[in-house]
Amino acid sequence: TAYRSIPAGAVATVTKVERKGTVQRAPLLYDLTTLQKDCNVHLDLPADKTLDIAQSLYEKKLISYPRTGSRHIPDDVMEQIPGLLEKITGTPAFKEYGKTFDISNLNTRSVDGTKVTDHHALITTGIAPEGLSEAEAAVYRMIAGRMLEAFSPDCGKESLTMECLLDGMVFRARSSAVVSPGWRAVFNRNGDREKDEPE
């Protein structure tokens, strides 16, 4: 309604322009709960079904122990990560991302032995998955993709706020743009996990 009351030909004066760079940190590795949440959102799988599938992948020696509450790995497990990531980026699902992924400069946010409980975070084992059902393959891709996300650079964004004065009224516009996608390029999803990652 305020917009409609502005006379035709009125000239706006820009009173403020503010650019601000922000960083969205790479997510931590999966524990069982965060895997179940993401599989529910992206694969429409209920929690118990995700657990059954993860247990099946574990029994096939494709992933580490799934019933974990930890989202971190210790230093000795980190030593295996570059080799595991090389295998993941060699798969069709992540080959494109692998072309830009710098395996020599990994994000180590998920590496902290003091935060590991009985079992470390969910990771793949490096054994090539074969003969998986569609659901098993999808959950495996979620875990492998999360590994890539966790060890990728942070996502850099720039927010722009602009204020204008028009016919005695202040109008404000806000926008946000990704300037360096970092970990967000793994799955190229928009707007997910904006608020649920701990700082």
Side-chain angles (χ1 to χ4, degrees), residues 88-187:
I88 291 169
T89 56
T91 63
F94 301 110
K95 193 166 277 198
E96 199 58 37
Y97 182 74
K99 292 175 185 174
T100 60
F101 183 60
D102 184 1
I103 214 150
S104 67
N105 186 27
L106 298 179
N107 187 332
T108 56
R109 184 175 176 226
S110 292
V111 184
D112 187 344
T114 66
K115 293 182 179 174
V116 175
T117 50
D118 292 349
H119 301 280
H120 62 67
L122 269 166
I123 58 171
T124 60
T125 61
I127 295 171
E130 291 176 2
L132 299 184
S133 70
E134 192 177 325
E136 285 174 328
V139 172
Y140 182 85
R141 266 193 310 276
M142 293 287 289
I143 296 166
R146 172 49 65 96
M147 285 176 66
L148 281 176
E149 289 179 331
F151 295 105
S152 287
D154 295 336
C155 171
K157 294 182 174 184
E158 184 180 73
S159 60
L160 175 67
T161 304
M162 189 165 71
E163 287 183 5
C164 297
L165 188 63
L166 181 58
D167 200 38
M169 291 178 283
V170 177
F171 289 85
R172 186 176 293 122
R174 287 192 179 96
S175 64
S176 176
V178 171
V179 288
S180 58
W183 66 272
R184 280 196 159 274
V186 174
F187 285 111

Side-chain angles (χ1 to χ4, degrees), residues 52-79:
D52 290 346
I53 293 168
Q55 185 65 31
S56 171
L57 293 172
Y58 171 68
E59 288 166 8
K60 292 176 181 180
K61 299 185 171 27
L62 299 177
I63 63 168
S64 62
Y65 188 69
R67 294 171 192 260
T68 175
S70 178
R71 300 187 67 186
H72 293 84
I73 57 170
D75 289 318
D76 62 330
V77 175
M78 180 61 195
E79 291 170 16

Side-chain angles (χ1 to χ4, degrees), residues 32 36 40 45-55 67:
L32 178 60
Q36 287 171 317
N40 183 257
L45 288 174
D48 57 345
K49 182 70 175 166
T50 297
L51 174 57
D52 290 346
I53 293 168
Q55 185 65 31
R67 294 171 192 260

